[in-house]
Amino acid sequence: MPGNMNNMLKQVQKMQKEMERLQEEIAQREVEASAGGGAVTVKVNGKREILDIGIQPAVVDPDDIEMLQDLIIAAANEALRKAEEMMAKEMGKVTGGMNLPGLF
């Protein structure tokens, strides 16, 4: 039994190191999403930090700020969803599809 436990512990440690390496790699990746047919774009990284927001001048209407706000929110939420999906997909490769709460 102790040999099996040592092997299992080594496998867990290897998986943990691989996950840490992957998290660092994913943190450097970027995803982008848009709303309003490309009127607003948002770029985020794998750490789910907003890196850039692009707004086409044609969508800036001082009389309709709410529409611009809605487009920014929609694009940002979609970009963040894509970043989360990217992280889950890559981590699933390491964990073999096991759902391990709290790891990412």
Side-chain angles (χ1 to χ4, degrees):
M1 272 293 194
N4 287 338
M5 287 298 285
N6 283 338
N7 286 337
M8 192 166 92
L9 184 57
K10 286 180 184 179
Q11 288 177 330
V12 168
Q13 289 172 337
K14 181 181 175 185
M15 185 177 11
Q16 183 179 13
K17 285 181 183 180
E18 179 64 16
M19 289 173 63
E20 288 171 0
R21 182 199 63 76
L22 189 57
Q23 284 177 327
E24 290 174 16
E25 178 186 312
I26 292 171
Q28 302 304 312
R29 293 184 191 177
E30 298 176 0
V31 295
E32 185 175 288
S34 66
V40 174
T41 59
V42 175
K43 186 183 297 183
V44 300
N45 64 19
K47 292 187 283 187
R48 296 179 291 277
E49 298 171 330
I50 295 176
L51 303 174
D52 187 49
I53 296 176
I55 301 172
Q56 296 293 319
V59 76
V60 179
D61 179 355
D63 294 326
D64 194 3
I65 297 297
E66 292 81 16
M67 181 189 70
L68 180 56
Q69 291 169 332
D70 289 345
L71 291 173
I72 293 169
I73 290 169
N77 284 334
E78 179 63 14
L80 293 170
R81 187 198 60 74
K82 284 183 176 182
E84 184 70 27
E85 185 178 276
M86 176 182 61
M87 176 69 83
K89 180 180 176 185
E90 293 299 322
M91 286 299 176
K93 292 177 184 176
V94 174
T95 63
M98 292 184 298
N99 185 13
L100 302 173
L103 291 180
F104 54 92

